[in-house]
Amino acid sequence: EPEVTQTPSHQVTQMGQEVILRCVPISNHLYFYWYRQILGQKVEFLVSFYNNEISEKSEIFDDQFSVERPDGSNFTLKIRSTKLEDSAMYFCASSDARGYYEQYFGPGTRLTVT
Amino acid sequence: GQNIDQPTEMTATEGAIVQINCTYQTSGFNGLFWYQQHAGEAPTFLSYNVLDGLEEKGRFSSFLSRSKGYSYLLLKELQMKDSASYLCHNAGNNRKLIWGLGTSLAVNP
């Protein structure tokens, strides 16, 4: 069964450093998403991406964040100048041409900022 | 504003039926979703309602009333593996995909 994959599974970085979180969505999916979940808190929407551009973004997704689909398979989230409060699980998800329907989530990348 | 409300915790017994409620307030409506999330894992899709009424899918059913801004997830014949968080999630007009905090369900033997 096709699945969304994410790398790395765990990233430790120092405050102020840049990180890139990588995702490979399901191959025939057209909509891509990034979410984050701080430990013990709710899933928070960051951004959705369709047709090579951002379709929606939340208030959390400020200039510190950017997304890119550098090729036909990868979807990345870049966090510039990480802060302690960026420590969270970051989930990538994708959905098919029906759009905001069933989203398939990757296993997540746990980001720890020290 | 936009908001999702669910009970924080529920407890039920193996084999029983449990109903998890969700109320929402959003600008517009593009569907009400339920996801299951086991501790330390990613959410997985359970159901989607866009019209009023009950959608049945095996042991899980989901109900929607758009006029009341209300949904529930019904879990029948509870199993120990159903112990998880259940996330109510709505796509409003701005499609920013508002998620609830989730209801942590503990199934006891």
Side-chain angles (χ1 to χ4, degrees):
Chain A
E1 185 175 325
E3 57 183 18
V4 177
T5 59
Q6 289 185 243
T7 54
S9 57
H10 191 189
Q11 173 92 47
V12 181
T13 189
Q14 288 190 327
M15 198 167 52
Q17 297 295 305
E18 173 183 287
V19 294
I20 297 176
L21 309 183
R22 290 183 166 78
C23 168
V24 179
I26 293 173
S27 61
N28 64 343
H29 281 188
L30 301 178
Y31 293 81
F32 314 115
Y33 315 84
W34 282 103
Y35 295 90
R36 78 173 185 192
Q37 188 173 32
I38 296 168
L39 188 63
Q41 297 186 25
K42 64 181 176 183
V43 173
E44 297 176 294
F45 168 75
L46 293 178
V47 66
S48 59
F49 192 87
Y50 171 72
N51 200 25
N52 286 319
E53 62 183 24
I54 291 173
S55 48
E56 292 289 345
K57 61 182 181 179
S58 72
E59 294 76 15
I60 302 168
F61 194 88
D62 58 21
D63 292 343
Q64 181 195 10
F65 295 89
S66 62
V67 289
E68 198 176 34
R69 188 156 164 82
D71 53 42
S73 60
N74 289 285
F75 180 51
T76 62
L77 175 70
K78 182 188 291 186
I79 310 174
R80 286 181 278 274
S81 189
T82 49
K83 303 185 273 250
L84 293 177
E85 53 265 36
D86 294 328
S87 294
M89 183 73 93
Y90 288 81
F91 292 109
C92 172
S94 68
S95 59
D96 65 21
R98 291 173 292 180
Y100 293 86
Y101 187 59
E102 179 176 354
Q103 295 180 40
Y104 290 79
F105 280 73
T109 293
R110 179 162 297 285
L111 176 66
T112 302
V113 182
T114 61
Chain B
Q2 303 194 94
N3 202 24
I4 298 274
D5 286 309
Q6 303 177 237
T8 306
E9 294 179 345
M10 296 183 73
T11 304
T13 304
E14 196 174 11
I17 299 172
V18 70
Q19 177 175 312
I20 303 174
N21 297 323
C22 169
T23 57
Y24 63 90
Q25 297 172 327
T26 58
S27 302
F29 182 78
N30 277 298
L32 193 290
F33 303 79
W34 284 95
Y35 281 75
Q36 179 191 60
Q37 187 178 27
H38 285 100
E41 298 182 11
T44 55
F45 172 83
L46 289 178
S47 70
Y48 168 69
N49 293 68
V50 66
L51 299 175
D52 289 351
L54 189 68
E55 293 278 343
E56 297 192 68
K57 211 179 199 184
R59 293 191 299 117
F60 293 0
S61 304
S62 56
F63 171 83
L64 175 68
S65 169
R66 288 172 296 170
S67 62
K68 295 180 181 176
Y70 167 69
S71 173
Y72 68 71
L73 181 69
L74 194 70
L75 292 77
K76 303 174 192 172
E77 300 168 20
L78 280 173
Q79 302 174 9
M80 298 297 291
K81 67 178 183 180
D82 297 329
S83 293
S85 284
Y86 290 86
L87 312 177
C88 175
H89 153 51
N90 169 262
N93 265 345
N94 62 8
R95 296 193 162 191
K96 287 187 179 177
L97 309 175
I98 309 300
W99 292 74
L101 188 56
T103 298
S104 179
L105 174 66
V107 180
N108 297 321

